[in-house]
Structures are given as C-alpha cells and as structure tokens.
Amino acid sequence: FINNLPFGRSTSNFTSRDASGSTSQAANVMEALEIGSRALIFDEDTCATNFMIRDAKMAALVHADSEPITPFISRVRSLYTDGGVSSVLVVGGAGDYLNVGDTVLKMASYACHDVTAEARAVITNPQFASQVPPVAGGSIPAWTGFPSRTVNRSVFRPDWKTAVRSTEKISYGDDIEVQLFGLEQLVAKEQTNAILAAMHLIARGSPGSTLKDICEAVEVEFTRRGLAPTLGGEASFDGNLAQPRKFEIAGAISRLRLAGLLG
C-alpha cells in the first residue's frame, strides 16, 4: 500500500515514531494478514480517507507514479481473488466502493435491505461516473503471499521489570512502554496480563519461528491447557487472566520496540 517514499526510502523494512493515519492503517492491515485473518472490517468513520479512496480529480492532479499511497479500493478486489481475504466496509460517503463490491446492503429505519441490483444500476449510469484510481505502473499486482516475520527470542528480556499498567499499556523494562491503544479488541486488563505472560513464555521458547507460528502455538496451548497452566501458574484457574486472540498477542509484540526483535 505504501511505496515511492521521498529519497527512495524502502517500505519493506520501515519504522516511524510519527506515522500518519494512512501509514498506520496500512501497517494494521498487513499485521492482520500476516497472522492469518481472512476477513477485514472497515468503518469509514475511523479510517484514513487517503488510504481508503482517491477520487478522479485527485488522481488526475497527483500522478500515481508520484503518489506514495495505493488506496485500499485499488487492491480490495485482488485481495479477495488472489489472497482469499474478504472485506466488509461500512460506508456512507465513499460511493466508489460500489464499483468493487459483490454485495451492497442498505440500512433504512434500522432495517437491512439488499440493494445490490440498485447499486449496479447506479454505477452504470453515466451521471454517476466514477472509477478505481490508477496505480503506479498502470496495473495492480497480484497478491503473491503475505508477510512472515521471524522472532528473535534472544532480544526479549523477561528478567526486566515488567508490569501491566492498564488494558492499553505494558511497561517492559525501565524505559519501554508498549502502547496498545490501537488494539480495540482488548476489552479487559486481564487480557493484557495474559499477553505479557505470553511474551515471557515466548522468550523462554515456544514452537515455531515466525510471528504467526508462535502466536498460533500459544493460542493452541491456551485452548488446550488453559491460561494459568500454560503460563506456569500453580493453580488451574487465575482470575487475573483472560484469553486474548492471537491477533492481539502479535499486535503487542509488533509494538514492542526492541531492536532486532522482528525480522
């Protein structure tokens, strides 16, 4: 989604402490795909507009070859046909998505109606001409696979002083804070407790080498044995732990700023 950065900077191994909304959303999508998500849900109200769409006027003004962002609308179809990943979008203003949608549902007076046929009539009406914006090089590349980062366990420091400060924040060592505000599926501090414990478990050694394999192995153990036994607790149950999904475990590790942790 992000290319053509100034000064030729590569996005294959890119980090920033001041990422824009579009860059953050692109990274969030790729993180989800890396861990195995096969369905993505977008709410127009909380999305970065320039990540989701670029209308014809803006595409004419800023040529695709000099625009760093390939908007999601240009890749959503290939993401499904090549990658097998479905997308559900809640929109009220981004009408260009009618051009690429398989099914269109409309909410009216709290009732859901299938208006796919009506949407097809709209997009074929010259009065409402719109298009998927062009991309650099003129063609949209197929999805040939999703990223697969490896985890360097030796970089973890489980002997450091660590603590869960809140549902959205983990202290890891003296000067590292893991910010989890973007992981909206974390709803209880007990889940964050389990994430920190899972980090210690991963540091000590768990099956797999890629981030996806490791997080899936932890999730399997959570399901098979329970949280407390898997994490080394003496009791069968621990009221301070609640099971997170593999996506939130991976998201926390991705936000742990330790040099060389992920490669």
Side-chain angles (χ1 to χ4, degrees):
F1 296 107
I2 310 293
N3 291 287
N4 301 326
L5 292 181
F7 312 112
R9 189 174 181 184
S10 172
T11 58
S12 62
N13 187 17
F14 176 80
T15 62
S16 172
R17 290 185 177 273
D18 301 293
S20 66
S22 56
T23 303
S24 297
Q25 189 169 352
N28 187 258
V29 169
M30 296 309 296
E31 284 179 4
L33 296 176
E34 176 185 19
I35 306 304
S37 176
R38 289 298 174 260
L40 304 174
I41 301 177
F42 299 86
D43 184 347
E44 180 185 60
D45 290 345
T46 59
C47 289
T49 301
N50 59 337
F51 175 78
M52 297 301 291
I53 58 173
R54 186 164 70 250
D55 65 21
K57 296 184 183 68
M58 191 59 67
L61 180 64
V62 182
H63 194 272
D65 289 332
S66 59
E67 167 58 53
I69 303 170
T70 299
F72 188 74
I73 192 173
S74 296
R75 306 224 60 182
V76 63
R77 172 53 53 186
S78 64
L79 182 59
Y80 175 70
T81 56
D82 301 327
V85 177
S86 298
S87 299
V88 178
L89 296 99
V90 181
V91 299
D96 283 355
Y97 272 97
L98 298 178
N99 291 55
V100 295
D102 293 308
T103 303
V104 181
L105 305 175
K106 182 177 76 172
M107 295 297 296
S109 299
Y110 301 102
C112 185
H113 305 271
D114 188 333
V115 294
T116 304
E118 292 92 324
R120 296 286 181 269
V122 168
I123 65 177
T124 56
N125 187 333
Q127 180 182 355
F128 304 111
S130 62
Q131 64 178 5
V132 176
V135 297
S139 61
I140 300 172
W143 288 90
T144 56
F146 301 124
S148 183
R149 293 173 293 172
T150 57
V151 177
N152 181 2
R153 293 185 182 85
S154 65
V155 178
F156 276 105
R157 296 291 185 271
D159 54 328
W160 281 355
K161 182 172 65 177
T162 60
V164 174
R165 301 301 181 187
S166 67
T167 304
E168 300 87 8
K169 185 182 294 186
I170 295 173
S171 293
Y172 201 88
D174 293 329
D175 56 357
I176 298 176
E177 283 194 344
V178 186
Q179 303 284 354
L180 306 179
F181 296 99
L183 303 181
E184 295 183 350
Q185 297 301 314
L186 287 179
V187 297
K189 186 178 179 181
E190 290 76 12
Q191 289 176 295
T192 311
N193 290 338
I195 286 176
L196 177 56
M199 288 181 176
H200 295 328
L201 178 68
I202 293 169
R204 292 194 299 268
S206 60
S209 59
T210 68
L211 182 61
K212 178 177 184 289
D213 290 343
I214 288 172
C215 291
E216 287 183 344
V218 170
E219 188 175 56
V220 167
E221 285 300 292
F222 281 169
T223 302
R224 185 175 68 89
R225 300 176 57 200
L227 293 173
T230 299
L231 299 174
E234 297 179 359
S236 298
F237 301 98
D238 187 336
N240 292 315
L241 298 172
Q243 183 165 345
R245 303 183 307 167
K246 61 183 179 181
F247 300 102
E248 280 68 55
I249 298 173
I253 294 173
S254 292
R255 287 156 179 78
L256 179 57
R257 295 181 179 275
L258 293 176
L261 176 61
L262 296 171

